[in-house]
Amino acid sequence: MDLIAGLANMRARNYSIPEVDKLKAKFIAGRIIPAIATSTAMATGLVCLELYKVIAGEHPIEDYRNTFANLALPLFSMAEPVPAKVMKHQDLSWTVWDRWTIKGNLTIAELLQWFSDKGLSAYSMSCGTSLLYNSMFTRHKERLQKKVVDVAREVAKVEVPEYRKHIDVVVACEDDDGNDIDIPLVSVYFR
């Protein structure tokens, strides 16, 4: 307790806050621990209630709840979540929560063709913070015949463990009119 009181007073001096004695520091710290335990238990309970609905499946979105709780006020409010916006392009539809999976150890050119078959022009592809391919860079043309996973290993320095069967790439696309189309994350299964 001496250490906590000492550290609290050093911080108080740094920020020109009035210092407290050891008894006052113990009183304040004694209130924090139950507050943390209470709010954690409440949040965990609310998450578990929603998890039961997810596991049971087949629940309409109206059955789920977003909860805002502030124990200091006390305020507790629940609301129905808003459904995710559905984006459409030709005969495809998706939300921000979807993921496109592509099976096969494809080259970058084959992956670009996959998008082209869907009516999308993919002009940029990245993995993590590294750019795997961009149509504006002439140097990237030599990567077209390489496998996506090999380019990710080489450029992004992605270490793919033996048990891992896919890599995730972010692809930027546009339609025939040159409008950007936000597509979901793409998982390329190479094994």
Side-chain angles (χ1 to χ4, degrees), residues 46 50 53 61-67 78-81:
L46 290 167
E50 298 305 308
K53 297 173 194 173
I61 196 157
E62 295 82 23
D63 287 353
Y64 295 95
R65 295 288 177 262
N66 284 340
T67 305
M78 297 177 99
E80 288 180 12

Side-chain angles (χ1 to χ4, degrees), residues 108 132 143 146-157:
I108 289 186
L132 302 182
R143 297 178 183 172
K146 293 182 179 180
K147 304 287 186 186
V148 175
V149 67
D150 294 336
V151 176
R153 284 182 178 134
E154 176 187 331
V155 175
K157 307 289 188 247

